[in-house]
Amino acid sequence: MTAHTTVVDVRQVPLWRRLPSILAAFDALAPGDAVELVVDLDPWPLRSYVEATRGGVCDWRSSENGPQTWRVRLTFVK
């Protein structure tokens, strides 16, 4: 079985709807699958939240670090 990556671009999503969208995409992953998150704000608060609520099941890899766009790959590693 091949790992699958879903791109979630929330740059046009209102701020109050971003977290539920991101978490829904992550929670739908199978082990080994990933979400590539594209945002226009530094996602460090999201990383803290994910680590606190889903500790040990998420591998966080940044591939672009602003200043206008951040890209982060969240892989479900259970």
Side-chain angles (χ1 to χ4, degrees):
M1 189 161 136
T2 324
H4 181 267
T5 299
T6 301
V7 176
V8 177
D9 185 342
V10 296
R11 292 176 290 183
Q12 300 301 316
V13 176
L15 290 174
W16 64 90
R17 297 176 86 195
R18 290 182 180 193
L19 182 60
S21 299
I22 295 165
L23 294 178
F26 182 78
D27 290 341
L29 297 176
D33 288 351
V35 169
E36 180 181 331
L37 177 61
V38 183
V39 295
D40 54 357
L41 299 169
D42 188 344
W44 72 265
L46 174 65
R47 183 174 190 169
S48 297
Y49 184 82
V50 168
E51 288 175 354
T53 61
R54 287 152 180 83
V57 299
C58 180
D59 179 52
W60 179 285
R61 306 269 175 184
S62 297
S63 62
E64 187 173 346
N65 292 312
Q68 296 176 349
T69 301
W70 283 260
R71 290 183 187 271
V72 178
R73 182 179 181 89
L74 307 170
T75 305
F76 180 52
V77 291
K78 187 156 186 177

Coordinates of all heavy atoms in Angstrom, one line a residue:
M1 N 0.8 -1.2 0.0 CA 0.0 0.0 0.0 C 0.9 1.2 0.0 O 1.9 1.3 0.7 CB -0.9 0.0 1.2 CG -1.9 1.0 1.2 SD -3.2 0.6 2.4 CE -3.5 2.1 3.2
T2 N 0.5 2.2 -0.8 CA 1.3 3.4 -0.9 C 0.8 4.5 0.0 O -0.4 4.7 0.1 CB 1.3 3.9 -2.4 OG1 1.2 2.9 -3.3 CG2 2.4 4.8 -2.7
A3 N 1.7 5.3 0.5 CA 1.3 6.4 1.4 C 0.7 7.5 0.5 O 1.0 7.7 -0.6 CB 2.5 7.0 2.1
H4 N -0.3 8.2 1.1 CA -1.1 9.2 0.4 C -0.8 10.5 1.1 O -0.8 10.6 2.3 CB -2.5 8.8 0.4 CG -3.4 9.8 -0.3 ND1 -4.0 10.8 0.3 CD2 -3.8 9.9 -1.6 CE1 -4.7 11.5 -0.6 NE2 -4.6 11.0 -1.7
T5 N -0.7 11.6 0.2 CA -0.6 13.0 0.8 C -1.7 13.8 0.3 O -2.0 13.8 -0.9 CB 0.7 13.6 0.3 OG1 1.8 12.8 0.8 CG2 0.9 15.0 0.9
T6 N -2.4 14.5 1.2 CA -3.5 15.4 0.9 C -3.0 16.8 1.2 O -2.4 17.1 2.2 CB -4.7 15.1 1.9 OG1 -5.1 13.8 1.7 CG2 -5.8 16.1 1.6
V7 N -3.1 17.7 0.2 CA -2.7 19.1 0.3 C -3.9 19.9 0.9 O -5.0 19.8 0.4 CB -2.3 19.7 -1.0 CG1 -2.0 21.2 -0.8 CG2 -1.1 19.0 -1.5
V8 N -3.7 20.6 2.0 CA -4.7 21.4 2.7 C -4.2 22.8 2.7 O -3.3 23.2 3.4 CB -5.0 20.9 4.1 CG1 -6.0 21.8 4.8 CG2 -5.5 19.5 4.1
D9 N -4.7 23.6 1.8 CA -4.3 25.0 1.6 C -5.4 25.9 2.3 O -6.5 26.0 1.8 CB -4.2 25.4 0.2 CG -3.7 26.8 -0.1 OD1 -3.7 27.7 0.9 OD2 -3.2 27.1 -1.2
V10 N -5.0 26.5 3.5 CA -6.0 27.2 4.2 C -5.8 28.7 4.1 O -6.4 29.5 4.9 CB -6.0 26.8 5.7 CG1 -6.5 25.4 5.9 CG2 -4.7 27.0 6.4
R11 N -5.0 29.2 3.2 CA -4.7 30.6 3.1 C -6.0 31.4 2.8 O -6.0 32.6 3.2 CB -3.7 30.9 2.0 CG -2.3 30.3 2.4 CD -1.3 30.5 1.3 NE -1.7 29.6 0.2 CZ -0.9 29.4 -0.9 NH1 0.1 30.2 -1.1 NH2 -1.3 28.6 -1.8
Q12 N -7.0 30.9 2.2 CA -8.2 31.6 1.9 C -9.3 31.3 2.9 O -10.5 31.8 2.7 CB -8.7 31.3 0.4 CG -7.7 31.7 -0.6 CD -7.3 33.1 -0.6 OE1 -8.2 34.0 -0.5 NE2 -6.0 33.4 -0.7
V13 N -9.1 30.4 3.8 CA -10.1 30.0 4.8 C -10.0 31.0 6.0 O -8.9 31.4 6.5 CB -9.8 28.6 5.3 CG1 -10.7 28.2 6.4 CG2 -9.8 27.6 4.2
P14 N -11.2 31.5 6.5 CA -11.2 32.4 7.6 C -10.5 31.7 8.8 O -10.5 30.5 9.0 CB -12.7 32.5 7.9 CG -13.4 32.2 6.7 CD -12.6 31.2 6.0
L15 N -9.8 32.6 9.6 CA -9.0 32.1 10.7 C -9.7 31.1 11.6 O -9.2 30.1 12.1 CB -8.4 33.2 11.5 CG -7.3 34.0 10.8 CD1 -6.9 35.3 11.6 CD2 -6.1 33.2 10.5
W16 N -11.0 31.4 12.0 CA -11.7 30.6 12.9 C -12.1 29.2 12.4 O -12.5 28.4 13.1 CB -12.9 31.3 13.4 CG -14.0 31.6 12.4 CD1 -15.0 30.8 12.0 CD2 -14.0 32.8 11.6 NE1 -15.7 31.4 11.0 CE2 -15.2 32.6 10.7 CE3 -13.3 33.9 11.4 CZ2 -15.5 33.6 9.7 CZ3 -13.6 34.9 10.5 CH2 -14.7 34.7 9.7
R17 N -12.0 29.0 11.0 CA -12.3 27.7 10.4 C -11.1 26.9 10.1 O -11.3 25.7 9.7 CB -13.2 28.0 9.2 CG -14.5 28.7 9.5 CD -15.2 29.0 8.3 NE -16.0 27.9 7.9 CZ -16.6 27.7 6.8 NH1 -16.5 28.6 5.8 NH2 -17.4 26.6 6.6
R18 N -9.9 27.5 10.3 CA -8.7 26.7 9.9 C -8.4 25.5 10.7 O -8.2 24.4 10.2 CB -7.5 27.7 9.9 CG -7.6 28.7 8.8 CD -6.4 29.6 8.8 NE -6.5 30.6 7.7 CZ -5.5 31.4 7.4 NH1 -4.3 31.3 8.0 NH2 -5.6 32.2 6.4
L19 N -8.4 25.7 12.0 CA -8.1 24.6 12.9 C -9.0 23.4 12.7 O -8.5 22.2 12.5 CB -8.1 25.0 14.4 CG -7.7 23.9 15.4 CD1 -6.3 23.4 15.1 CD2 -7.8 24.4 16.8
P20 N -10.3 23.5 12.7 CA -11.2 22.4 12.4 C -10.9 21.7 11.1 O -10.9 20.5 11.0 CB -12.6 22.9 12.5 CG -12.5 24.2 13.3 CD -11.1 24.7 13.0
S21 N -10.6 22.5 10.0 CA -10.3 21.9 8.7 C -9.0 21.1 8.7 O -8.9 20.0 8.2 CB -10.1 23.1 7.7 OG -11.3 23.8 7.6
I22 N -8.0 21.7 9.4 CA -6.7 21.0 9.5 C -6.8 19.7 10.3 O -6.3 18.6 9.9 CB -5.6 21.9 10.0 CG1 -5.4 23.1 9.1 CG2 -4.3 21.2 10.3 CD1 -4.7 24.3 9.7
L23 N -7.4 19.8 11.4 CA -7.6 18.6 12.3 C -8.4 17.5 11.6 O -8.1 16.3 11.8 CB -8.1 19.0 13.6 CG -7.2 19.9 14.5 CD1 -7.9 20.2 15.8 CD2 -5.9 19.2 14.7
A24 N -9.5 17.9 10.9 CA -10.3 16.9 10.2 C -9.5 16.2 9.2 O -9.6 14.9 9.0 CB -11.5 17.6 9.6
A25 N -8.7 16.9 8.4 CA -7.8 16.3 7.4 C -6.8 15.3 8.1 O -6.6 14.2 7.6 CB -7.1 17.3 6.6
F26 N -6.2 15.8 9.2 CA -5.2 14.9 9.8 C -5.9 13.7 10.4 O -5.4 12.6 10.3 CB -4.4 15.7 10.9 CG -3.4 14.9 11.6 CD1 -2.2 14.6 11.0 CD2 -3.6 14.3 12.8 CE1 -1.2 13.8 11.6 CE2 -2.7 13.5 13.5 CZ -1.5 13.3 12.8
D27 N -7.0 13.9 11.1 CA -7.7 12.7 11.7 C -8.2 11.7 10.8 O -8.5 10.6 11.1 CB -8.8 13.2 12.6 CG -8.3 14.0 13.9 OD1 -7.1 13.8 14.2 OD2 -9.0 14.8 14.5
A28 N -8.3 12.1 9.5 CA -8.8 11.1 8.5 C -7.7 10.3 7.9 O -7.9 9.4 7.1 CB -9.5 11.9 7.4
L29 N -6.4 10.6 8.3 CA -5.3 9.9 7.7 C -5.2 8.5 8.2 O -5.5 8.2 9.3 CB -4.0 10.6 8.0 CG -3.8 12.0 7.5 CD1 -2.5 12.6 8.0 CD2 -3.9 12.0 6.0
A30 N -4.7 7.6 7.3 CA -4.3 6.3 7.7 C -2.8 6.3 8.1 O -2.1 7.2 7.7 CB -4.5 5.3 6.5
P31 N -2.3 5.4 8.9 CA -0.8 5.4 9.2 C 0.0 5.5 7.9 O -0.2 4.8 7.0 CB -0.6 4.0 9.9 CG -2.0 3.8 10.6 CD -3.0 4.3 9.5
G32 N 1.0 6.4 8.0 CA 1.9 6.6 6.9 C 1.4 7.7 5.9 O 2.2 8.2 5.1
D33 N 0.2 8.0 5.9 CA -0.4 9.1 5.1 C 0.0 10.4 5.7 O 0.4 10.5 6.9 CB -1.9 9.0 4.9 CG -2.3 7.8 4.0 OD1 -1.4 7.2 3.4 OD2 -3.5 7.6 4.0
A34 N -0.1 11.5 4.9 CA 0.3 12.8 5.3 C -0.6 13.9 4.8 O -1.3 13.7 3.8 CB 1.7 13.1 4.9
V35 N -0.6 15.0 5.5 CA -1.3 16.3 5.1 C -0.1 17.3 4.8 O 0.7 17.5 5.7 CB -2.2 16.8 6.2 CG1 -2.6 18.2 5.8 CG2 -3.4 15.9 6.4
E36 N -0.1 17.8 3.6 CA 0.8 19.0 3.4 C 0.0 20.2 3.6 O -1.0 20.5 2.9 CB 1.3 18.9 2.0 CG 2.3 20.1 1.7 CD 2.8 20.1 0.3 OE1 3.0 19.1 -0.3 OE2 3.1 21.2 -0.1
L37 N 0.3 20.9 4.6 CA -0.4 22.1 5.1 C 0.2 23.4 4.4 O 1.4 23.5 4.5 CB -0.4 22.2 6.6 CG -1.0 23.4 7.2 CD1 -2.5 23.5 6.9 CD2 -0.8 23.4 8.7
V38 N -0.6 24.2 3.8 CA -0.1 25.5 3.2 C -0.8 26.6 4.0 O -2.1 26.6 3.9 CB -0.4 25.5 1.7 CG1 0.2 26.8 1.1 CG2 0.2 24.3 1.0
V39 N -0.1 27.5 4.6 CA -0.7 28.6 5.4 C 0.1 29.9 5.2 O 1.2 29.9 4.7 CB -0.6 28.2 6.9 CG1 -1.5 27.1 7.3 CG2 0.8 28.0 7.4
D40 N -0.6 31.0 5.6 CA 0.0 32.3 5.4 C 0.5 32.9 6.7 O 0.9 34.1 6.7 CB -0.9 33.2 4.6 CG -2.3 33.3 5.3 OD1 -2.5 32.6 6.3 OD2 -3.1 34.1 4.8
L41 N 0.4 32.1 7.8 CA 0.9 32.6 9.1 C 1.7 31.5 9.7 O 1.5 30.3 9.4 CB -0.3 32.8 10.0 CG -1.4 33.8 9.6 CD1 -2.6 33.7 10.5 CD2 -0.8 35.2 9.7
D42 N 2.7 31.9 10.5 CA 3.6 30.9 11.1 C 2.8 29.9 11.9 O 2.0 30.2 12.8 CB 4.6 31.6 12.0 CG 5.7 30.7 12.5 OD1 5.5 29.5 12.5 OD2 6.7 31.2 13.0
P43 N 2.9 28.6 11.6 CA 2.0 27.6 12.2 C 2.6 27.0 13.5 O 2.1 26.0 14.0 CB 2.0 26.5 11.2 CG 3.3 26.5 10.5 CD 3.6 28.0 10.5
W44 N 3.5 27.7 14.2 CA 4.0 27.2 15.5 C 2.9 27.0 16.5 O 3.0 26.0 17.3 CB 5.2 28.1 16.0 CG 4.8 29.4 16.5 CD1 4.8 30.6 15.9 CD2 4.3 29.7 17.9 NE1 4.3 31.6 16.7 CE2 4.0 31.0 17.9 CE3 4.0 28.9 19.0 CZ2 3.5 31.6 19.1 CZ3 3.5 29.5 20.1 CH2 3.3 30.8 20.2
P45 N 1.9 27.8 16.6 CA 0.9 27.5 17.6 C 0.1 26.1 17.3 O -0.2 25.4 18.2 CB -0.1 28.6 17.6 CG 0.6 29.8 17.0 CD 1.6 29.1 16.0
L46 N 0.0 25.9 16.0 CA -0.7 24.6 15.6 C 0.2 23.4 16.0 O -0.3 22.4 16.5 CB -0.9 24.6 14.1 CG -1.4 23.3 13.5 CD1 -2.8 23.0 14.0 CD2 -1.4 23.3 12.0
R47 N 1.5 23.6 15.8 CA 2.4 22.5 16.2 C 2.3 22.2 17.7 O 2.2 21.0 18.1 CB 3.9 22.8 15.9 CG 4.8 21.7 16.2 CD 6.2 22.0 15.8 NE 7.0 20.7 15.9 CZ 8.2 20.6 15.4 NH1 8.7 21.5 14.7 NH2 8.8 19.4 15.6
S48 N 2.2 23.2 18.5 CA 2.1 23.0 20.0 C 0.7 22.3 20.3 O 0.7 21.4 21.1 CB 2.1 24.3 20.7 OG 3.4 24.9 20.5
Y49 N -0.3 22.7 19.6 CA -1.6 22.1 19.8 C -1.6 20.6 19.4 O -2.2 19.8 20.1 CB -2.7 22.9 19.0 CG -4.1 22.4 19.3 CD1 -4.8 22.8 20.4 CD2 -4.7 21.5 18.4 CE1 -6.0 22.3 20.7 CE2 -6.0 21.0 18.7 CZ -6.6 21.4 19.8 OH -7.9 20.9 20.1
V50 N -1.1 20.4 18.2 CA -1.1 19.0 17.7 C -0.3 18.1 18.6 O -0.7 17.0 18.9 CB -0.5 18.9 16.2 CG1 -0.3 17.5 15.8 CG2 -1.5 19.6 15.3
E51 N 0.9 18.6 19.1 CA 1.7 17.8 20.0 C 1.0 17.5 21.3 O 1.1 16.4 21.9 CB 3.1 18.4 20.2 CG 4.0 18.4 19.0 CD 5.3 19.1 19.1 OE1 5.5 19.8 20.2 OE2 6.1 19.0 18.2
A52 N 0.2 18.5 21.8 CA -0.5 18.3 23.0 C -1.7 17.4 22.9 O -2.0 16.7 23.8 CB -1.0 19.7 23.6
T53 N -2.4 17.4 21.8 CA -3.6 16.6 21.6 C -3.4 15.3 20.9 O -4.2 14.4 21.0 CB -4.7 17.5 20.9 OG1 -4.2 17.8 19.6 CG2 -5.0 18.7 21.7
R54 N -2.3 15.2 20.1 CA -2.1 14.0 19.3 C -0.6 13.6 19.4 O 0.0 13.1 18.5 CB -2.5 14.3 17.8 CG -4.0 14.4 17.6 CD -4.3 15.2 16.5 NE -5.7 15.3 16.3 CZ -6.5 16.1 16.9 NH1 -6.1 16.9 17.8 NH2 -7.8 16.1 16.7
G55 N -0.1 13.8 20.6 CA 1.3 13.5 20.9 C 1.7 12.1 20.5 O 1.0 11.1 20.7
G56 N 2.8 12.0 19.8 CA 3.4 10.7 19.4 C 2.9 10.1 18.2 O 3.3 9.1 17.7
V57 N 1.9 10.7 17.5 CA 1.3 10.1 16.3 C 1.6 11.0 15.1 O 1.1 10.7 14.0 CB -0.2 9.8 16.4 CG1 -0.4 8.8 17.5 CG2 -1.0 11.0 16.6
C58 N 2.2 12.2 15.3 CA 2.4 13.1 14.2 C 3.9 13.5 14.0 O 4.5 13.9 15.0 CB 1.6 14.4 14.5 SG 1.8 15.6 13.2
D59 N 4.4 13.3 12.8 CA 5.7 13.7 12.4 C 5.5 15.1 11.7 O 4.8 15.1 10.7 CB 6.4 12.7 11.5 CG 7.8 13.2 11.1 OD1 8.6 13.5 12.0 OD2 8.0 13.1 9.9
W60 N 6.2 16.1 12.2 CA 6.1 17.5 11.7 C 7.3 17.8 10.9 O 8.4 17.9 11.5 CB 5.8 18.4 12.8 CG 5.7 19.8 12.6 CD1 6.7 20.7 12.2 CD2 4.5 20.6 12.6 NE1 6.1 22.0 12.1 CE2 4.8 21.9 12.3 CE3 3.2 20.3 12.9 CZ2 3.8 22.9 12.3 CZ3 2.2 21.3 12.9 CH2 2.5 22.6 12.6
R61 N 7.2 18.1 9.6 CA 8.4 18.5 8.8 C 8.0 19.8 8.0 O 7.1 19.8 7.2 CB 8.7 17.4 7.8 CG 8.9 16.1 8.3 CD 10.3 15.8 8.7 NE 10.4 14.5 9.3 CZ 11.5 14.1 9.8 NH1 12.6 14.7 9.7 NH2 11.5 12.9 10.4
S62 N 8.8 20.8 8.3 CA 8.6 22.1 7.5 C 9.4 22.1 6.2 O 10.6 21.6 6.2 CB 9.1 23.3 8.4 OG 8.4 23.4 9.6
S63 N 8.8 22.6 5.2 CA 9.5 22.6 3.9 C 9.6 24.1 3.4 O 10.4 24.3 2.5 CB 8.9 21.7 2.8 OG 7.6 22.2 2.6
E64 N 8.8 25.0 3.9 CA 8.9 26.4 3.6 C 8.5 27.2 4.8 O 7.5 26.9 5.5 CB 7.9 26.7 2.4 CG 8.1 28.1 1.8 CD 7.2 28.3 0.6 OE1 6.7 27.3 0.0 OE2 7.0 29.5 0.2
N65 N 9.4 28.2 5.1 CA 9.2 28.9 6.4 C 9.0 30.4 6.2 O 9.8 31.2 6.8 CB 10.4 28.6 7.3 CG 10.4 27.2 7.8 OD1 9.4 26.7 8.2 ND2 11.6 26.6 7.7
G66 N 8.0 30.8 5.4 CA 7.6 32.2 5.3 C 8.6 33.0 4.5 O 9.5 32.5 3.9
P67 N 8.4 34.3 4.5 CA 7.6 35.1 5.4 C 6.1 35.1 4.9 O 5.2 35.6 5.7 CB 8.2 36.5 5.4 CG 8.8 36.6 4.0 CD 9.3 35.2 3.7
Q68 N 5.8 34.8 3.7 CA 4.4 34.9 3.2 C 3.7 33.5 3.2 O 2.5 33.5 3.3 CB 4.3 35.5 1.9 CG 4.8 37.0 2.0 CD 4.9 37.7 0.6 OE1 4.7 37.0 -0.4 NE2 5.1 39.0 0.6
T69 N 4.5 32.4 3.0 CA 3.9 31.1 2.9 C 4.7 30.1 3.7 O 5.9 30.2 3.7 CB 3.8 30.6 1.4 OG1 3.1 31.6 0.7 CG2 3.2 29.3 1.3
W70 N 4.0 29.3 4.5 CA 4.6 28.2 5.2 C 4.0 26.9 4.7 O 2.8 26.8 4.4 CB 4.3 28.3 6.7 CG 5.1 29.3 7.4 CD1 6.2 29.1 8.2 CD2 4.9 30.7 7.5 NE1 6.7 30.3 8.7 CE2 5.8 31.3 8.3 CE3 3.9 31.6 6.9 CZ2 5.9 32.7 8.6 CZ3 3.9 32.9 7.2 CH2 4.9 33.5 8.0
R71 N 4.9 25.9 4.5 CA 4.4 24.6 4.1 C 5.0 23.6 5.2 O 6.2 23.6 5.5 CB 5.0 24.2 2.8 CG 4.4 24.9 1.6 CD 4.9 24.5 0.3 NE 4.4 25.3 -0.8 CZ 3.2 25.1 -1.4 NH1 2.5 24.1 -1.1 NH2 2.8 26.0 -2.3
V72 N 4.0 22.8 5.7 CA 4.4 21.8 6.7 C 3.8 20.5 6.3 O 2.6 20.4 5.9 CB 3.8 22.2 8.1 CG1 4.1 21.2 9.1 CG2 4.4 23.6 8.5
R73 N 4.5 19.4 6.4 CA 4.0 18.1 6.2 C 3.8 17.4 7.5 O 4.7 17.2 8.3 CB 5.0 17.3 5.3 CG 4.6 15.9 5.0 CD 5.7 15.2 4.1 NE 5.3 13.9 3.7 CZ 4.6 13.6 2.6 NH1 4.3 14.6 1.8 NH2 4.3 12.4 2.3
L74 N 2.5 17.0 7.8 CA 2.1 16.3 9.0 C 1.9 14.9 8.6 O 0.9 14.6 7.8 CB 0.9 16.9 9.6 CG 0.9 18.4 9.9 CD1 -0.5 18.9 10.2 CD2 1.9 18.7 10.9
T75 N 2.7 13.9 9.1 CA 2.5 12.5 8.7 C 2.0 11.8 9.9 O 2.5 11.9 11.1 CB 3.9 11.9 8.3 OG1 4.4 12.7 7.2 CG2 3.7 10.5 7.8
F76 N 1.0 10.9 9.7 CA 0.4 10.1 10.8 C 1.3 8.9 11.0 O 1.4 8.1 10.1 CB -1.0 9.7 10.4 CG -1.7 8.9 11.5 CD1 -1.7 9.3 12.8 CD2 -2.3 7.7 11.1 CE1 -2.4 8.5 13.7 CE2 -3.0 6.9 12.0 CZ -3.0 7.3 13.4
V77 N 2.0 8.8 12.1 CA 2.9 7.7 12.3 C 2.5 6.9 13.6 O 3.1 7.1 14.6 CB 4.4 8.3 12.5 CG1 4.9 8.8 11.2 CG2 4.4 9.3 13.6
K78 N 1.6 6.1 13.4 CA 1.2 5.3 14.6 C 1.8 4.0 14.6 O 2.2 3.4 13.7 CB -0.3 5.1 14.6 CG -0.8 4.5 15.8 CD -2.2 4.8 16.1 CE -2.6 4.2 17.5 NZ -3.9 4.5 17.9

